[in-house]
Amino acid sequence: MSTTAETIRNGVDTAQLYGTLDALKADPTLATFQFRARNRWIDGAHNRTTIRDFYAANQEDTSRAEEFVVDAGEPAILLGTDTGPNPAEYLLHALAACLTTSLVYVAAARGVHLTEVESTLEGDMDVQGALGLSDEVRNGFERIRVSFRVAGDAPEEKLREVVARAQQRSAVFEMVTNGVPVTVDVATA
Amino acid sequence: MSTTAETIRNGVDTAQLYGTLDALKADPTLATFQFRARNRWIDGAHNRTTIRDFYAANQEDTSRAEEFVVDAGEPAILLGTDTGPNPAEYLLHALAACLTTSLVYVAAARGVHLTEVESTLEGDMDVQGALGLSDEVRNGFERIRVSFRVAGDAPEEKLREVVARAQQRSAVFEMVTNGVPVTVDVATA
């Protein structure tokens, strides 16, 4: 019998994962996080977000070596010049990324070795809403379809359980399905 | 009197904008859009989304010269290696980008020349939810605060009206505040 436990699974350090869970159970105040983004308009549909600092575990996190820079835009048909994906596409990306990371972490915790996780997302939108032409249709997606393809060393039933559990735990899935209260303040110069 | 109308305002071609609105009024079927994203897990919290094709105005749009590639990750405290912003931060980016583009387009349509649009977003999260430690807290942000700083050639009251109208029309603001039905399908290999 081997006494060496595998700690890295699916690229996730499960020893650190369990350590984090134990620390949060011992002191739930460590679970208070705040994430941030700063955006600046450049021209037309082109704007840019920088992301770096956040608050976690009772302090400002300073671990990131540099800021992330993310550009948004619109395609020609929506009056842009493709300076980046559009905001609605970024929402699909946020949803895909969160479901995938949740799935990978859940699989790691349950001893499932994954070999492949791919997803395609589609969001249907009647742009009459966002363009102010109709109050009968909503501004955003009417619905979003996510299709996962998952492979690993577990039976199909277990893989499906992992996806279902990831869906129950994903922060972005929960926000996109239930909505979040948003306040908007304005200062004029 | 000048007979040359300004058409480009805030980087937005207002002649094209009005032309688009007229075309959609004449044939509302042109307003049916579908946006898409494809995501692939790489390792641990690292996954990558590609975005290119979409459906618009009764056909597949082929105008984009190349695909966009967007990487997600997690910081060390959430078991990642900072391969990109995390999914919740991308949701803040999507919201900031959509409000900003809506604001810029509304201002262009109303004859307001903008000189500056900046925003900071904060999302508060108790990670006990997403980590499965508590069913008492939600998985996603409890609330999101958006602070805009807007400057332009209009009086403060007009600038505030433009922000308010942008908020009423933003697709991502509407989705994040109201939620969207999401279906998840799984195929196992």
Side-chain angles (χ1 to χ4, degrees):
Chain A
M1 272 175 60
S2 169
T3 55
T4 307
E6 176 203 48
T7 62
I8 309 289
R9 196 178 297 135
N10 302 328
V12 179
D13 186 331
T14 55
Q16 190 197 344
L17 174 58
Y18 294 126
T20 299
L21 296 176
D22 288 343
L24 290 172
K25 281 178 204 159
D27 180 2
T29 70
L30 297 171
T32 300
F33 278 51
Q34 181 183 90
F35 292 110
R36 300 162 190 152
R38 289 175 184 75
N39 183 279
R40 184 171 62 83
W41 172 54
I42 296 175
D43 195 33
H46 186 198
N47 61 72
R48 178 170 291 162
T49 295
T50 54
I51 292 166
R52 182 173 183 175
D53 56 284
F54 62 93
Y55 182 89
N58 295 328
Q59 60 189 327
E60 284 295 313
D61 187 282
T62 57
S63 67
R64 282 173 167 165
E66 50 190 37
E67 65 185 13
F68 299 111
V69 178
V70 192
D71 279 34
E74 291 288 353
I77 196 171
L78 291 172
L79 313 176
T81 57
D82 278 325
T83 50
N86 77 16
E89 290 170 323
Y90 272 117
L91 183 119
L92 295 180
H93 160 63
L95 179 58
C98 197
L99 283 168
T100 298
T101 298
S102 298
L103 196 166
V104 169
Y105 283 23
V106 167
R110 296 187 177 195
V112 174
H113 289 83
L114 298 167
T115 52
E116 180 188 348
V117 182
E118 292 188 354
S119 56
T120 59
L121 288 84
E122 298 174 342
D124 298 329
M125 187 184 293
D126 183 330
V127 298
Q128 291 181 95
L131 293 175
L133 292 173
S134 171
D135 292 324
E136 305 294 309
V137 298
R138 63 182 300 176
N139 297 344
F141 290 134
E142 293 150 56
R143 69 195 74 79
I144 296 172
R145 285 176 298 279
V146 183
S147 297
F148 267 101
R149 180 182 156 85
V150 181
D153 70 356
E156 176 174 351
E157 191 184 327
K158 180 97 173 179
L159 292 175
R160 289 183 179 276
E161 274 176 29
V162 167
V163 177
R165 181 67 177 168
Q167 201 174 325
Q168 285 167 8
R169 286 301 161 201
S170 163
V172 175
F173 180 82
E174 192 269 315
M175 288 190 272
V176 170
T177 51
N178 294 328
V180 181
V182 182
T183 59
V184 179
D185 290 328
V186 189
T188 57
Chain B
M1 270 177 64
S2 170
T3 54
T4 309
E6 177 203 47
T7 62
I8 309 291
R9 196 179 297 135
N10 303 325
V12 180
D13 187 331
T14 55
Q16 190 196 343
L17 174 58
Y18 294 125
T20 299
L21 296 176
D22 287 344
L24 290 171
K25 281 178 205 160
D27 181 2
T29 70
L30 297 171
T32 299
F33 278 52
Q34 182 183 90
F35 293 109
R36 302 161 188 152
R38 290 177 181 74
N39 183 280
R40 185 172 61 85
W41 172 54
I42 296 176
D43 194 33
H46 187 197
N47 61 72
R48 178 171 291 163
T49 296
T50 53
I51 292 166
R52 182 172 183 175
D53 57 284
F54 62 94
Y55 182 88
N58 295 329
Q59 60 189 327
E60 284 294 312
D61 187 282
T62 56
S63 67
R64 282 173 166 164
E66 50 190 38
E67 66 185 13
F68 299 111
V69 179
V70 191
D71 279 34
E74 291 288 352
I77 195 170
L78 291 171
L79 313 176
T81 57
D82 277 325
T83 49
N86 77 18
E89 290 171 322
Y90 272 117
L91 182 120
L92 295 180
H93 160 63
L95 178 58
C98 197
L99 283 168
T100 298
T101 298
S102 298
L103 195 166
V104 169
Y105 283 23
V106 167
R110 295 188 176 194
V112 174
H113 289 83
L114 298 167
T115 52
E116 181 187 346
V117 182
E118 292 189 354
S119 56
T120 59
L121 288 83
E122 298 174 341
D124 298 329
M125 187 185 292
D126 184 330
V127 298
Q128 290 181 96
L131 293 175
L133 293 173
S134 170
D135 292 325
E136 305 295 310
V137 299
R138 64 183 297 175
N139 298 345
F141 292 134
E142 293 150 55
R143 68 194 74 79
I144 296 172
R145 284 177 298 281
V146 183
S147 297
F148 267 102
R149 180 183 157 84
V150 180
D153 70 356
E156 175 173 352
E157 192 184 328
K158 180 97 173 178
L159 291 174
R160 289 184 179 278
E161 274 176 29
V162 167
V163 176
R165 181 65 177 168
Q167 199 174 326
Q168 285 167 7
R169 286 300 161 201
S170 162
V172 175
F173 179 83
E174 193 268 315
M175 287 191 271
V176 169
T177 52
N178 294 330
V180 181
V182 182
T183 59
V184 179
D185 291 328
V186 189
T188 57

